[in-house]
Amino acid sequence: MNLSILDLLFPKRCVSCGRLGSYICTKCFSQIEFIEKPVCPVCQRQAIGGKTHPGCQGRYRLDGLVIACKYRGPVKKAIQKMKYKWIFDVGEVLINFLTDSLWKFDLPASYILVPIPLHPRRKKWRGFNQSELLAKILGGSFGVDVCNLLVRTLEGSTQVGLDRESRKENVKGAFAPRFAQSKSSSFNIEGKNIILVDDVYTSGATMAECAKVLKKAGAKEVWAMAVALG
Ligand SMILES: [Zn+2]
Ligand SMILES: [Zn+2]
């Protein structure tokens, strides 16, 4: 084992159970339920490459979904830890799960990453946006741009505990393109392939709403990417 001075000062701990030695211990790793077969973002049934089934497609709908594992056990613990306090190591571990499973998905040839925004008031309260930080680490490891193309204009309540229909209603009209008037090419949505980034994909209502906003603003393909499927 190679111990550096950094390991001595900041010993690695399992992001789920806290055991010393590594960011994810072998016991917790063995409990993670990785997604073997990609699913469609609309019906959540098995779909080749994570692409939306032809019958589930729509002009303003998501074109595909990338997810690494189920939102259970150690992954749930790690994500919950990160939600209230950004822990870089947890982010790194979760991102690795995504990068390791990317080969299963038929992503567009080129794309940019767009994090799901928090309402400014909530971001201020929490101090960070976990989707944005995840997108930044992903962007660095994929070598692609991260662009904050969306703003959350309505705060809404938390999606936790709401049923599918209420989740949809709760996010309706909550997002807008950030630079609707901008002529600058880097903020131009027209013709771009976009991958939305969030930590958990549950009903998909938030991602679906964001996809609609981006497609109405001219985006070509819009995919959703999340670490875990809730
Ligand atoms: Zn552990
Ligand atoms: Zn489907």
Side-chain angles (χ1 to χ4, degrees):
M1 190 158 67
N2 255 330
L3 272 181
S4 73
I5 185 82
L6 280 174
D7 291 324
L8 292 171
L9 288 172
F10 307 104
K12 288 179 184 160
R13 277 178 183 281
C14 172
V15 295
S16 170
C17 71
R19 189 193 302 252
L20 278 168
S22 60
Y23 290 138
I24 183 89
C25 74
T26 44
K27 185 167 169 271
C28 289
F29 187 82
S30 71
Q31 288 167 1
I32 295 172
E33 295 172 64
F34 287 98
I35 304 282
E36 302 295 338
K37 293 182 174 132
V39 298
C40 164
V42 179
C43 67
Q44 298 198 8
R45 290 202 191 98
Q46 208 175 302
I48 296 165
K51 281 190 168 177
T52 306
H53 296 124
C56 293
Q57 283 168 0
R59 192 166 164 212
Y60 298 126
R61 286 195 184 157
L62 284 163
D63 296 292
L65 172 64
V66 177
I67 26 156
C69 39
K70 296 249 175 81
Y71 187 56
R72 285 197 201 133
V75 174
K76 189 171 180 176
K77 252 192 212 163
I79 290 177
Q80 283 175 341
K81 258 187 203 174
M82 199 179 64
K83 235 176 183 134
Y84 298 98
K85 180 171 173 261
W86 174 257
I87 307 166
F88 189 80
D89 304 335
V90 180
E92 290 264 286
V93 168
L94 298 176
I95 294 298
N96 282 340
F97 294 162
L98 270 175
T99 19
D100 288 349
S101 41
L102 266 196
W103 61 272
K104 294 176 196 160
F105 302 91
D106 282 337
L107 288 171
S110 69
Y111 52 83
I112 55 166
L113 298 174
V114 175
I116 299 294
L118 285 178
H119 189 274
R121 205 171 316 142
R122 182 164 283 240
K123 187 175 173 182
K124 203 173 165 200
W125 173 78
R126 199 183 271 173
F128 64 92
N129 173 1
Q130 78 282 5
S131 308
E132 198 178 322
L133 292 165
L134 284 172
K136 277 186 187 152
I137 314 180
L138 272 171
S141 74
F142 297 178
V144 298
D145 289 338
V146 178
C147 245
N148 288 305
L149 292 180
L150 292 168
V151 275
R152 183 155 190 152
T153 48
L154 292 178
E155 201 168 3
S157 50
T158 166
Q159 297 279 74
V160 177
L162 297 180
D163 64 26
R164 215 183 159 85
E165 271 315 301
S166 322
R167 279 172 186 255
K168 248 193 202 163
E169 214 37 56
N170 194 32
V171 291
K172 208 170 181 184
F175 300 93
R178 181 184 293 269
F179 302 102
Q181 273 83 43
S182 174
K183 294 279 178 285
S184 150
S185 65
S186 56
F187 298 124
N188 194 354
I189 297 171
E190 194 87 43
K192 284 202 172 131
N193 294 322
I194 290 166
I195 300 184
L196 291 161
V197 179
D198 208 353
D199 47 5
V200 185
Y201 190 93
T202 310
S203 71
T206 306
M207 295 277 216
E209 182 68 18
C210 290
K212 189 175 86 189
V213 170
L214 290 168
K215 285 198 160 178
K216 283 189 171 168
K220 201 171 153 203
E221 273 195 43
V222 180
W223 279 62
M225 183 182 277
V227 175
L229 182 67

